[in-house]
Amino acid sequence: PREATELLLSSSSGFVQELAEIISSSAAPEPAKGARAGPKKSVTVGGHFSKQLAELRAKIDLTSPHYVRCLKPNGALIPDHFDPLMIVDQLRCAGVVEAVRVSRVGYPQRYNHAQFVTRYKNLALKELAKAAKGSRKMKPVDTLVDAIAKKMVEIDPTLAAPIDPKSRSDSKVDLMEVGIQVGKTKVFLRRRAFDILENMRKAYIATATVKIQALARGFIQQRTFTEHCESSLQLQCWVRVIIAERKVQTVRELVNARKIQNAYRRCAGRRYYLCV
């Protein structure tokens, strides 16, 4: 990349500076097709090397490289055996532990403005909505950082000086003490600030999850209760229909029995009358 070329040019070694000039000249844009071409020059070994190096740099610039460090798991050269002391010694000798420690002392967590707003906007939805409706135009990331910094101080007062409750809405928190810095394109977080932010985010997600589960379970229980009520009503209707049918059948049988009894008694009375 360009920073590497500038670093090589600033070297005190003449050979390194000459190598940097070759790399920078090979990376320069080619002349237009319409331009008058000069006499052809023979390609030297150095020119061929610089051309290949420029092509390699162009490919690297198009990718997102990740550096992988290989570690020896054990000294016995046997599989499925992990020696923690040996691994830690290799990491310490290679400078990885020191690099991680230095990174954690500084600002190890870095987010673009869009990524930071997308990840932590749920922690200050009211403030973002209020800022969007206000007459004073502010960047969403600035509004979000100010609101989050105040909440972080409330959670952990040791981060910064306490906020006066009377001027709480207008007061500003020292972002340097909190451990947050806003740049032109990125937001930088110290380790402690990042841990507090992640805990706040996890707590918000857990609360929202519980609310969603409560609403879902309430909806399921309400639907089940409605289905049970409808089923009970339908069952009651069927039972009442069966009872009514049996009652009507009983009444019909009684009426027909009375008719038969009346006819039989009339016939028996007539016979007795005629015999007398």
Side-chain angles (χ1 to χ4, degrees):
R2 184 180 60 185
E3 291 80 3
T5 305
E6 293 176 355
L7 179 63
L8 293 176
L9 288 173
S10 63
S11 175
S12 59
S13 175
F15 173 74
V16 175
Q17 291 181 358
E18 184 178 358
L19 180 62
E21 291 177 357
I22 294 174
I23 295 175
S24 59
S25 62
S26 62
E30 296 181 358
K33 293 183 179 180
R36 182 175 297 178
K40 284 189 175 182
K41 296 182 179 180
S42 58
V43 180
T44 61
V45 176
H48 185 64
F49 170 74
S50 63
K51 182 180 178 181
Q52 290 182 341
L53 187 60
E55 293 176 354
L56 179 61
R57 283 184 53 198
K59 291 181 180 179
I60 294 176
D61 292 338
L62 294 175
T63 59
S64 299
H66 296 274
Y67 299 96
V68 179
R69 185 176 295 275
C70 298
L71 300 174
K72 192 175 181 180
N74 57 76
L77 301 179
I78 56 177
D80 300 331
H81 178 66
F82 187 82
D83 189 357
L85 297 178
M86 185 175 181
I87 295 296
V88 171
D89 186 54
Q90 293 181 63
L91 292 175
R92 188 180 292 110
C93 294
V96 176
V97 176
E98 186 66 19
V100 172
R101 188 187 66 81
V102 172
S103 177
R104 291 175 71 88
V105 169
Y107 293 90
Q109 300 297 331
R110 305 172 184 180
Y111 294 99
N112 294 331
H113 287 179
Q115 293 177 350
F116 185 83
V117 172
T118 303
R119 185 174 182 81
Y120 299 109
K121 65 180 179 180
N122 293 328
L123 301 178
L125 292 176
K126 295 182 179 179
E127 289 81 357
L128 290 174
K130 184 178 179 181
K133 295 179 180 178
S135 58
R136 184 182 177 184
K137 297 298 182 183
M138 292 181 61
K139 292 183 178 180
V141 65
D142 295 332
T143 305
L144 180 60
V145 168
D146 291 339
I148 287 177
K150 294 179 181 178
K151 294 183 179 180
M152 290 174 63
V153 173
E154 293 177 1
I155 295 175
D156 190 355
T158 60
L159 289 176
I163 303 173
D164 187 6
K166 297 181 180 179
S167 61
R168 183 176 174 180
S169 59
D170 300 331
S171 60
K172 295 290 185 180
V173 181
D174 190 357
L175 298 180
M176 181 69 73
E177 295 181 359
V178 175
I180 303 177
Q181 287 296 311
V182 182
K184 292 184 178 180
T185 59
K186 289 186 177 182
V187 178
F188 301 87
L189 301 174
R190 289 189 183 274
R191 180 181 61 84
R192 188 177 181 185
F194 174 73
D195 293 339
I196 296 175
L197 268 180
E198 286 298 313
N199 291 333
M200 292 170 59
R201 181 172 176 267
K202 290 179 181 178
Y204 178 85
I205 293 176
T207 304
T209 303
V210 171
K211 289 182 179 179
I212 293 173
Q213 289 178 350
L215 292 174
R217 290 172 180 171
F219 173 76
I220 293 173
Q221 293 297 329
Q222 184 179 5
R223 186 179 61 182
T224 304
F225 177 75
T226 304
E227 292 177 355
H228 288 175
C229 288
E230 293 177 354
S231 301
S232 300
L233 182 60
Q234 190 173 6
L235 183 60
Q236 289 176 2
C237 292
W238 290 344
V239 172
R240 289 170 183 171
V241 167
I242 294 173
I243 293 174
E245 289 180 351
R246 291 181 179 179
K247 188 174 180 180
V248 170
Q249 183 66 25
T250 304
V251 172
R252 287 177 179 175
E253 290 177 356
L254 291 175
V255 171
N256 294 332
R258 287 175 182 175
K259 289 181 179 181
I260 294 172
Q261 288 177 359
N262 291 335
Y264 176 78
R265 289 171 181 173
R266 185 175 60 249
C267 182
R270 185 179 179 184
R271 288 181 182 177
Y272 180 76
Y273 178 75
L274 293 176
C275 291
V276 173

